[in-house]
Amino acid sequence: MLRARRFDAAVMKVPFSPPDIRQEDIDAVVDVLRSGWITTGPVSRQFEAALAAYMGVHQAVTVNSCTAALELALRALGVGPGDEVIVPAYTYTASAAVVEHVGAQVVLVDTAPGEYRPDIPTILAAVTERTKAVIVVDIAGVPFPADDLRTALEGSRPAGRLGVLDRMERPAVIVDGAHSLGATRKGMRAGQLGDFTAFSFHAVKNLTTGEGGALCWRPDLEIDDDVATRLVRRLSLHGQTKDALAKTQAGQWEYDIIERGYKSNMPDILAALGLSQLGRYDEMLATRRGLIAGYADGLAGLATVLPHAGTEFLSSAHLAMVDLGALAPHRQQIINHMAEAGISTNVHYKPLPLLTAYRSNFDIVDFPNAHAQYLAELTLPLHTLLTDESLEYVIASFREAVERAA
Ligand SMILES: Cc1ncc(COP(=O)(O)O)c(C=O)c1O
């Protein structure tokens, strides 16, 4: 059996998820800095085209966060006061807060027993005629069966029309794909499964622009791609009819403001970093998938590592989520032991009803499955700079922590 003391704990440090920035990324950013154009412009457009090609969709619009992308999807759908949006209780606040940002009501649903996501019957039971959209989350990079959810929602006709999807006869399915760039299900890449999908390029995500995000829609959606692209871009830029690059062309100063919008566009400096990382993204995914397999082998018999592959799906291996099972009461001891060994761990997620901002509207007793999942969850470090030696060290430290706790 591996022992943590085989390693020199004084020198081992295992961060949770540092960015993997290479010289080619730095060069790409420096090129933009030297180019004379640093905000949204040609490189953002290139990044959008490369993302769309990668995901197999017609269009991606880059913005400054996944949160902004989720909110833009709701705004494009015309979701607002009087509407309801169903959101899982087991997620990060961004998935739900955007619903309130547009003035609609959040309807939280519990997870399925033993899972980090709700099942489709539970979502259907929460649908009312005021339900305009369902937001589902690809937790850890495992794609939610959003295609099945779309089918199951057929027949649940919302009162009123759905903005840019004005012919749609069911609530829209928006995927919070913050974790799932590159995941696949039934041969479809993340981005093709929900009606809309929002991705995150935050500093700890698989592909990073420091902060950033993108919104896309499935290729077979009945939507005019140009109209939708113009709308989402405009909504991400104050409701302004021209972006900064178009406005600075000689004689082209004039613009209009069509709605009093927010501002969430992605500058070319960040897009350059994203575009550079996307060039080697498949290699990064392969590394992450190998590390997850290493954890699953190393922890077999001790705790359950969330499966990242199945007959119908392959995840983007974003988070190494571990279900501690009977060891759940010792979670903090395990975290402390590993922290002393220089290993950063995390917990994903504290269900929303446990958080101060949500407590006045929701009671955790109504979400027993999410609560139980949370109490037993521990996330181990996972990133493309993690060496085989570090992986062994994390596993050995975890084993040692468990032996001490027992
Ligand atoms: C599930 C989930 N959704 C949304 C977000 C928000 O992403 P961003 O920081 O890009 O807005 C995060 C960020 O961690 C997340 O984990």
Side-chain angles (χ1 to χ4, degrees), residues 64-68 70 91-92 94-95 137-139 176-179 199-202 204-205 211-213 318 348-349:
N64 64 11
S65 66
C66 176
T67 310
L70 288 168
T91 186
Y92 184 59
S95 327
V137 186
D138 291 344
I139 291 257
D176 177 340
H179 302 174
F199 294 96
S200 176
F201 309 132
H202 175 266
V204 301
K205 296 300 187 288
E211 297 284 353
H318 177 55
H348 293 85
Y349 288 95

Side-chain angles (χ1 to χ4, degrees), residues 308-331:
H308 283 258
T311 49
E312 291 190 320
F313 77 94
L314 191 55
S315 104
S316 61
H318 177 55
L319 295 175
M321 292 173 78
V322 175
D323 185 338
L324 294 174
L327 295 166
H330 306 293
R331 178 173 68 183

Side-chain angles (χ1 to χ4, degrees), residues 380-402:
L380 298 175
L382 179 62
H383 52 84
T384 47
L385 300 174
L386 196 67
T387 60
D388 289 345
E389 189 195 18
S390 298
L391 185 89
E392 279 185 30
Y393 179 62
V394 174
I395 293 167
S397 173
F398 182 88
R399 285 189 172 278
E400 207 171 75
V402 168

Side-chain angles (χ1 to χ4, degrees), residues 21 25 28-30 32-33 37-41 43-45 47-48 51 62-65 201-203 207-213 264-278:
I21 303 295
D25 302 330
V29 172
V30 169
V32 171
L33 290 171
W37 189 263
I38 58 176
T39 187
T40 309
V43 184
S44 303
R45 295 291 177 265
F47 184 33
E48 287 175 345
L51 278 170
T62 51
V63 284
N64 64 11
S65 66
F201 309 132
H202 175 266
L207 179 148
T208 187
T209 59
E211 297 284 353
S264 54
N265 54 309
M266 175 181 281
D268 275 12
I269 298 173
L270 303 192
L273 180 52
L275 189 59
S276 175
Q277 298 223 333
L278 190 59

Side-chain angles (χ1 to χ4, degrees), residues 261-315:
Y262 292 88
K263 187 168 193 291
S264 54
N265 54 309
M266 175 181 281
D268 275 12
I269 298 173
L270 303 192
L273 180 52
L275 189 59
S276 175
Q277 298 223 333
L278 190 59
R280 61 171 191 278
Y281 190 61
D282 280 338
E283 177 200 318
M284 292 164 93
L285 279 184
T287 303
R288 300 185 81 97
R289 287 172 177 148
L291 291 166
I292 289 266
Y295 275 138
D297 282 353
L299 299 182
L302 258 192
T304 312
V305 179
L306 175 73
H308 283 258
T311 49
E312 291 190 320
F313 77 94
L314 191 55
S315 104

